Amino acid sequence: MNKQRKYKQRTLEVHAGEKVDPVTGARATPIYHTSSYAFESAEKAKKLYALEEEGYLYTRISNPTLDVLEKRVAAIEGGVGALSQSTGMSAILLSILNIANSGDEIVASNNLYGGTFTLFKNTMPNWGIKVNFVPTHDLEAYENAINENTKAIYCESIGNPKLNIPDFEKIAKIAHKHDLPLIVDNTSAITMVRPLEHGADIVVHSATKFLSGTGTSMGGVIVDGGTFNWANGKFPQFTTPDPAYHGLIYSEAFGNKAYITKARVHLMKDLGTVLSPINAFLILQSIESLSLRVNQHCKNALEIAKFLKNHEAVSWVNYPGLEDNENHEMAEKYLNGNYGGIVGFGIKGGLEEGKKFIESVELLSHVANIGDAKSLVIHPASTTHSNMTEEEQLEGGITPDFIRMSVGIEDAEDLIADIDQALKKAVS
Ligand SMILES: *Cc1c(COP(=O)(O)O)cnc(C)c1O
């Protein structure tokens, strides 16, 4: 690639981070399935261990195949660097642990992926990190939830599953006013929005979803926007010596890549949440068609949402692409003409009818995943969000009649025919 040219989205998806293999000339990214790397000399090894030189020493810290994936996702999001992870959950976990210790707090939107909600609500408090949940659109609540222990604001670009789209720019302003970073999980809106361009400082992804796009590989990515000042006095992790590296100070040694470098050489090294090279390879294959797929997901989802809206077995439809949707305005502001691949709807009757519907679809699969090329459907109240209390479920929009569809890239006509026959069977 030409280093001077600022390539556009589709080009980045196909090429960013690529290296033609120096040994064989292989055009595809090779799978470097190795745990370790032969050191050229004792001196070189010593420098690698001290982080004085860049290079590969052990795959739990870095790997050439992961490197291509990291550079590609960083380019897609417009960040200065990225770190791949074994899953989306480990990306989220490290994004927080990189800046928060016991006694610290996070402010988070209450409209989150179920796994994230459980991590924030139950697990992190056991380690002394408290999360204060606020309604996605209540700007005053974010402001009020911040105190001197707060280390970040956290939200999702299209909240799963209520599909709330936060006003990134306003929330980022609140975060920055208090010298805090905004972390955005952009799994559901990848290629539709670049949160870093709207004030976010860190972006996290479940690569298991649209990035993989095939339902084959788990993975996660953290992207560093490179603009946040970690030396502002609130984050001693970056400005005090790390004894693990002879007193190295991250903000001085790594400048605008301090955050992502620390996540790698401190947390991933200590916690071992590395992605497998073969998964990185598989995810890279899919990224070549990322926005082609995402656009088709969105196009199909809009058609299905419109179809459901007029269906007599359906009591309500939640899709940001519908003009009367409460998130339509935010979608228009941020998602560049797309509205996401997830459609929520209420089936007339409720729980029993919902189960019957899910058992009656033939083309759609009953699966706990999103962003797959294949269309998927699930009943959140009894599955993905079943660990929540009834009150928490209702607050997150998880009513008993709610069905969530992750619309795939098939022909919309075939999907609509399948949904129609299943609705008729379920509500008769
Ligand atoms: C799936 C998902 C996650 C978790 O990712 P895994 O790869 O399953 O660990 C996090 N956030 C969102 C929005 C997701 O959809």
Side-chain angles (χ1 to χ4, degrees):
M1 294 177 84
N2 180 331
K3 288 225 166 8
Q4 313 307 322
R5 190 174 166 85
K6 226 173 161 277
Y7 288 105
K8 303 188 87 147
Q9 179 73 17
R10 285 288 309 130
T11 310
L12 294 174
E13 290 173 9
V14 180
H15 290 287
E18 70 185 357
K19 295 187 273 260
V20 172
D21 183 49
V23 179
T24 61
R27 185 64 188 84
T29 300
I31 309 169
Y32 286 91
H33 236 281
T34 183
S35 51
S36 39
Y37 309 84
F39 300 124
E40 280 165 31
S41 66
E43 186 55 27
K44 170 102 178 171
K46 183 166 178 277
K47 284 190 172 154
L48 285 172
Y49 270 97
L51 304 180
E52 285 165 8
E53 226 172 75
E54 276 191 35
Y56 302 105
L57 65 105
Y58 196 57
T59 285
R60 180 154 39 73
I61 299 166
S62 60
N63 170 287
T65 309
L66 303 190
D67 189 43
V68 178
L69 174 65
E70 287 159 356
K71 292 203 161 77
R72 191 155 307 173
V73 178
I76 287 168
E77 285 292 1
V80 296
L83 178 64
S84 54
Q85 286 288 292
S86 56
T87 64
M89 286 314 298
S90 53
I92 293 164
L93 175 64
L94 264 63
S95 77
I96 304 283
L97 293 186
N98 209 26
I99 50 174
N101 287 317
S102 177
D104 291 339
E105 298 187 13
I106 304 294
V107 173
S109 149
N110 66 358
N111 187 213
L112 297 174
Y113 173 70
T116 309
F117 184 79
T118 311
L119 170 71
F120 284 7
K121 175 90 183 176
N122 304 328
T123 307
M124 291 205 315
N126 286 336
W127 306 336
I129 300 170
K130 186 174 169 228
V131 182
N132 299 296
F133 294 97
V134 296
T136 308
H137 294 307
D138 188 346
L139 296 174
E140 219 168 287
Y142 288 87
E143 187 98 46
N144 293 337
I146 293 171
N147 62 39
E148 76 273 11
N149 297 324
T150 308
K151 297 296 173 179
I153 297 183
Y154 185 99
C155 64
E156 290 180 8
S157 52
I158 305 182
N160 180 356
K162 211 175 166 185
L163 312 182
N164 277 343
I165 300 163
D167 198 331
F168 304 106
E169 286 169 5
K170 291 194 176 143
I171 297 171
K173 243 187 215 147
I174 294 170
H176 297 161
K177 184 175 135 197
H178 295 273
D179 288 331
L180 300 172
L182 173 63
I183 305 176
V184 176
D185 179 338
N186 196 27
T187 302
S188 307
I190 189 160
T191 73
M192 300 170 219
V193 61
R194 280 177 158 184
L196 297 175
E197 291 177 356
H198 299 287
D201 303 284
I202 304 297
V203 166
V204 291
H205 278 287
S206 167
T208 313
K209 313 295 166 55
F210 291 107
L211 281 163
S212 157
T214 52
T216 55
S217 317
M218 311 245 3
V221 185
I222 308 170
V223 183
D224 185 350
T227 46
F228 192 80
N229 175 19
W230 302 104
N232 66 10
K234 273 189 180 273
F235 301 93
Q237 303 91 322
F238 293 92
T239 53
T240 52
D242 183 348
Y245 292 105
H246 300 296
L248 173 129
I249 294 173
Y250 290 101
S251 66
E252 289 174 9
F254 301 107
N256 71 347
K257 289 186 181 166
Y259 176 92
I260 205 68
T261 306
K262 182 177 160 312
R264 177 190 302 282
V265 303
H266 169 213
L267 288 178
M268 187 164 79
K269 175 169 155 279
D270 281 9
L271 301 180
T273 49
V274 69
L275 180 67
S276 154
I278 190 142
N279 277 5
F281 171 81
L282 289 168
I283 293 166
L284 275 167
Q285 307 315 299
S286 297
I287 293 180
E288 294 188 0
S289 61
L290 180 63
S291 56
L292 293 179
R293 283 184 288 110
V294 168
N295 290 341
Q296 177 74 7
H297 281 284
C298 293
K299 191 167 154 277
N300 282 352
L302 182 60
E303 266 186 59
I304 288 172
K306 285 181 179 161
F307 166 78
L308 288 171
K309 205 161 180 343
N310 295 317
H311 203 287
E312 57 188 7
V314 171
S315 42
W316 54 267
V317 181
N318 180 17
Y319 186 65
L322 299 174
E323 272 168 33
D324 58 357
N325 187 271
E326 60 168 334
N327 285 288
H328 188 66
E329 193 190 327
M330 284 301 119
E332 291 290 1
K333 181 169 174 188
Y334 289 115
L335 302 189
N336 289 309
N338 272 324
Y339 305 101
I342 298 173
V343 179
F345 70 95
I347 190 159
K348 279 204 183 138
L351 192 59
E352 285 314 307
E353 286 75 6
K355 280 192 195 153
K356 186 93 192 284
F357 171 78
I358 283 172
E359 281 166 6
S360 304
V361 286
E362 291 164 359
L363 190 55
L364 284 81
S365 319
H366 182 197
V367 167
N369 192 16
I370 60 165
D372 192 322
K374 302 171 273 299
S375 289
L376 316 173
V377 65
I378 201 158
H379 179 244
S382 64
T383 56
T384 52
H385 290 68
S386 59
N387 293 341
M388 293 177 154
T389 65
E390 212 168 297
E391 201 176 59
E392 287 165 353
Q393 282 191 350
L394 288 181
E395 218 166 273
I398 324 288
T399 49
D401 64 341
F402 167 38
I403 291 171
R404 185 191 79 188
M405 227 181 261
S406 169
V407 178
I409 63 173
E410 302 96 333
D411 269 295
E413 236 183 279
D414 292 329
L415 294 172
I416 286 172
D418 190 36
I419 293 164
D420 188 39
Q421 66 79 23
L423 280 173
K424 284 181 177 140
K425 262 189 207 145
V427 184
S428 48

